[in-house]
Amino acid sequence: MKRRAVLTLDDELLRPERELRAEGFCWIAGVDEAGRGPLAGAVTAGAVILPWCDAGIPGVFDSKQLSAEAREELFEELQSLEGVDIGIGIAEVSEIDQLNILKAAHLAMFRAVAQLKNVDHVLVDGLPVRGFPVPSRNLVKGDARSASIAAASIVAKVVRDRMMMQADVEYPQYGFASHKGYGTAEHLEALRKYGPCPLHRRSFRPVAELLPETPVQQQLEF
């Protein structure tokens, strides 16, 4: 998808942030996660507070509609943006298996928000998430409605993809670089051939079926 080079403060994608600023909030963090559906690897979250200025905010957009190259480019632009505040949260495979994937995703979000220097409101993608230390508001399909959430989705996705690229170096037989841990035919074939590695989520059914008597949580489709 072709994206705008920059966003201005009157852009529709900044409407939720404008509305919250009109209510008196100053440090509004967009929060999103990546990696709920895969069979392997951590779940990651990004939290981003964009600077409120007309200097030009990178033209962020829903990470799922961007190429890997575009996400990497935007990630670098965000990191170099003056006045931006970025938090990254990770919930490891062991935590996913212990807590369940939904609770682990929320834990990653809380950790991402905790890294921010200042925050007085959270915009979170999807359904409501309770437990943030400040007021929060959820936006369904928020990564296509809020620039802050879109930026957070890019951060979360790029961080996770980089982790899976490193996983491919450590466990090349599974093809993590191509499928990033999702349950593709290639991945399932490798699982059957080699069995699970330490990065596989043992509570997810396709992995658990290869293990003796493991509690199973339903795999999510994303």
Side-chain angles (χ1 to χ4, degrees):
M1 170 174 288
K2 186 177 180 180
R3 66 177 181 87
R4 288 160 289 184
V6 296
L7 302 177
T8 56
L9 296 184
D10 61 353
D11 197 285
E12 181 63 22
L13 204 57
L14 283 163
R15 177 189 291 272
E17 290 83 352
R18 284 197 304 274
E19 292 175 349
L20 286 171
R21 290 185 70 86
E23 294 177 24
F25 296 103
C26 297
W27 296 285
I28 302 156
V31 181
D32 201 2
E33 51 75 27
R36 279 212 266 180
L39 307 179
V43 60
T44 60
V48 178
I49 299 177
L50 295 169
W52 200 254
C53 63
D54 269 320
I57 297 170
V60 292
F61 199 73
D62 178 3
S63 67
K64 294 185 290 296
Q65 299 193 43
L66 297 171
S67 67
E69 292 76 17
R71 286 194 297 267
E72 284 281 351
E73 177 184 338
L74 279 165
F75 183 72
E76 297 298 333
E77 289 181 28
L78 286 166
Q79 286 189 310
S80 63
L81 182 63
E82 185 175 358
V84 74
D85 194 3
I86 297 175
I88 295 169
I90 297 170
E92 302 290 353
V93 171
S94 59
E95 294 174 307
I96 294 171
D97 287 337
Q98 179 182 3
L99 298 172
N100 79 41
I101 184 58
L102 183 60
K103 291 180 181 178
H106 290 178
L107 178 60
M109 290 181 180
F110 300 151
R111 287 171 174 169
V113 170
Q115 288 190 357
L116 299 173
K117 300 178 185 70
N118 293 295
V119 57
D120 59 8
H121 202 288
V122 168
L123 283 170
V124 61
D125 183 52
L127 298 176
V129 178
R130 295 179 177 84
F132 290 112
V134 296
S136 65
R137 183 175 301 175
N138 69 296
L139 288 178
V140 177
K141 299 187 183 298
D143 46 8
R145 297 171 59 192
S146 159
S148 300
I149 294 177
S153 75
I154 289 165
V155 169
K157 179 65 173 168
V158 169
V159 167
R160 188 176 191 282
D161 281 357
R162 289 180 178 181
M163 292 174 69
M164 296 312 294
M165 294 296 289
Q166 179 58 40
D168 189 70
V169 175
E170 298 176 16
Y171 304 100
Q173 66 270 38
Y174 296 100
F176 288 136
S178 61
H179 54 66
K180 305 301 188 295
Y182 283 88
T184 64
E186 172 196 3
H187 189 186
L188 293 173
E189 182 180 354
L191 255 178
R192 288 189 290 267
K193 183 175 181 180
Y194 300 108
C197 78
L199 295 180
H200 281 101
R201 301 172 180 179
R202 281 156 167 71
S203 57
F204 276 43
R205 186 172 301 280
V207 181
E209 287 174 348
L210 300 173
L211 300 168
E213 298 184 8
T214 305
V216 176
Q217 57 181 290
Q218 184 178 3
Q219 183 185 355
L220 300 180
E221 297 294 336
F222 287 91

